[in-house]
Amino acid sequence: MFAARLLCELPVDSINRVLGTELEVGCAWLSSIAHRHIAVDCSDDYSICIVNLELVISQPMYVRQSDRHARNFELIRRIDLEGRPLMLVAVSLERNDRGNYNVRSSYLITETDLEKKKRSGSLKLIIGS
């Protein structure tokens, strides 16, 4: 039911420039386990996240190194959704055995969450970089 999917190419040049990482070219991969996690554990957000997943990954507005999960980074983008217009996608920093980057999670965040991430200093604007 929760099929694995090869998604879009990550904008690694922009991510590397902003975070100082050395990611190699690769696509985002949604495993069946991650797909199930988003559908079950983030069920209120699932229908929105699954439709907008590739947009947020390919054209993020913000990127940040995850503080709680050091092996992941987060991509954030405003989406056209009244009331909760921000979506976060957590992605692994290491490529899998197929050369792709595993999506770990995806959920909607509030403007307050975004402001908190900005105040922490870890959130970086990626547009135009």
Side-chain angles (χ1 to χ4, degrees):
M1 178 170 181
F2 302 110
R5 290 185 7 197
L6 183 62
L7 301 170
C8 55
E9 195 167 307
L10 279 172
V12 294
D13 289 341
S14 296
I15 295 168
N16 288 339
R17 198 168 22 259
V18 173
L19 292 183
T21 52
E22 296 181 357
L23 300 176
E24 297 179 51
V25 172
C27 292
W29 171 257
L30 180 64
S31 69
S32 60
I33 294 168
H35 192 165
R36 182 187 180 286
H37 160 68
I38 297 166
V40 174
D41 298 338
C42 308
S43 59
D44 290 345
D45 302 338
Y46 176 74
S47 63
I48 297 161
C49 289
I50 203 68
V51 169
N52 290 286
L53 198 56
E54 290 190 53
L55 173 65
V56 176
I57 292 167
S58 65
Q59 299 174 41
M61 297 177 85
Y62 300 98
V63 63
R64 77 185 280 265
Q65 181 71 49
S66 177
D67 48 1
R68 292 186 333 173
H69 304 284
R71 297 176 62 163
N72 296 340
F73 62 93
E74 298 170 350
L75 302 171
I76 299 171
R77 180 180 172 87
R78 291 187 188 281
I79 54 175
D80 187 20
L81 177 67
E82 187 176 325
R84 294 180 69 193
L86 296 158
M87 186 172 138
L88 181 147
V89 179
V91 182
S92 175
L93 279 167
E94 294 93 26
R95 293 193 312 168
N96 62 28
D97 59 355
R98 295 182 181 156
N100 299 308
Y101 295 90
N102 292 327
V103 170
R104 300 289 191 197
S105 189
S106 181
Y107 49 90
L108 301 179
I109 63 172
T110 65
E111 194 70 38
T112 302
D113 294 335
L114 180 71
E115 291 304 317
K116 182 178 175 184
K117 291 174 188 301
K118 283 181 180 178
R119 281 193 306 275
S120 77
S122 64
L123 191 66
K124 308 293 184 195
L125 188 64
I126 196 169
I127 291 179
S129 62

